[in-house]
Amino acid sequence: MKAKVEVFLKPGVLDVQGKAIEGALHGLGFGDVAGVRVGKTIEFDLKATDAEAARAEVKQMCERLLANTVIEGYRVEVGA
Amino acid sequence: MKAKVEVFLKPGVLDVQGKAIEGALHGLGFGDVAGVRVGKTIEFDLKATDAEAARAEVKQMCERLLANTVIEGYRVEVGA
């Protein structure tokens, strides 16, 4: 089973990497870009076959390792 | 219009960050995790209203700045 986790800074937390990319895009002539946010995507395979159990396990991974829940939120997708 | 870009190392390129996360997950007891790949997600707003034009513009951004196309591939999503 495939799992995909997206980790983003929470709204209100300054995203300096996003700001830097936004500035660089403006400099390249892409002036209509705004509100750039940068996150991490982590994809992996799981041996679990039950989607609900897999989702619960991946959430645990996020809480314990993948996300810093003080400043980051996460989205979990579990699929075939 | 919202745009989302996912940048991943191409298959075959060693993903050391993914390997490190895989080792850490195994160490935490999540032993059934395999094939971890880590990528970047970049989300932003665009003023463009035509989806096809927006997609072409975002692809240009990927080629010129967001992805290192020698070792990285990218996926573009453009939506309302």
Side-chain angles (χ1 to χ4, degrees):
Chain A
M1 184 168 285
K2 295 264 181 206
K4 179 172 161 182
V5 175
E6 286 185 353
V7 181
F8 271 92
L9 287 170
K10 286 181 178 171
V13 179
L14 180 67
D15 185 344
V16 287
Q17 205 183 350
K19 287 284 174 211
I21 289 177
E22 191 169 320
L25 286 172
H26 289 177
L28 284 172
F30 299 107
D32 63 343
V33 173
V36 180
R37 304 288 285 175
V38 179
K40 276 178 297 191
T41 308
I42 302 138
E43 291 186 347
F44 50 88
D45 298 311
L46 272 177
K47 280 186 200 128
T49 49
D50 177 54
E52 270 319 298
R55 180 178 294 274
E57 193 182 358
V58 175
K59 274 190 182 171
Q60 277 236 328
M61 295 178 200
C62 291
E63 295 286 336
R64 293 184 61 191
L65 181 76
L66 302 177
N68 174 355
T69 53
V70 177
I71 54 167
E72 292 175 329
Y74 59 84
R75 290 190 287 255
V76 172
E77 282 174 42
V78 171
Chain B
M1 183 167 284
K2 296 264 181 205
K4 179 172 161 183
V5 175
E6 286 186 351
V7 180
F8 272 91
L9 287 170
K10 286 181 177 171
V13 179
L14 180 67
D15 185 343
V16 286
Q17 205 183 350
K19 286 284 172 211
I21 289 178
E22 191 169 318
L25 285 172
H26 288 178
L28 285 171
F30 299 107
D32 63 344
V33 172
V36 180
R37 305 287 286 175
V38 179
K40 276 178 298 190
T41 309
I42 302 137
E43 291 185 347
F44 49 88
D45 298 312
L46 271 178
K47 281 187 198 126
T49 50
D50 177 56
E52 269 318 298
R55 179 178 295 273
E57 193 182 358
V58 175
K59 274 191 182 170
Q60 275 235 329
M61 293 178 200
C62 292
E63 295 286 337
R64 293 183 61 191
L65 180 76
L66 301 177
N68 174 356
T69 53
V70 177
I71 55 168
E72 292 173 329
Y74 59 85
R75 291 189 287 252
V76 172
E77 280 174 44
V78 172

